[in-house]
Amino acid sequence: MDLMNFYSGNEFEAYKFLGAHPDKNGTWFRTFAPSAKSISVIGDFNDDSVK
């Protein structure tokens, strides 16, 4: 992903880099949240012990 285009609002395929992407080893997740104190991904896919 071209970060300069992303920051200027001209990157139209950021979805290919950001978000959830499954692969053979599981799923990886990327987000752009520069002011966030934390990020959580919650869903039915989490371990049953996490509620």
Side-chain angles (χ1 to χ4, degrees), residues 1-19 21 28 30-34:
M1 183 172 80
D2 185 327
L3 291 178
M4 185 63 100
N5 280 336
F6 178 73
Y7 294 133
S8 66
N10 295 311
E11 175 60 59
F12 302 107
E13 296 186 350
Y15 67 91
K16 292 181 180 179
F17 184 76
L18 301 173
H21 297 273
W28 50 269
R30 290 187 186 124
T31 189
F32 179 75

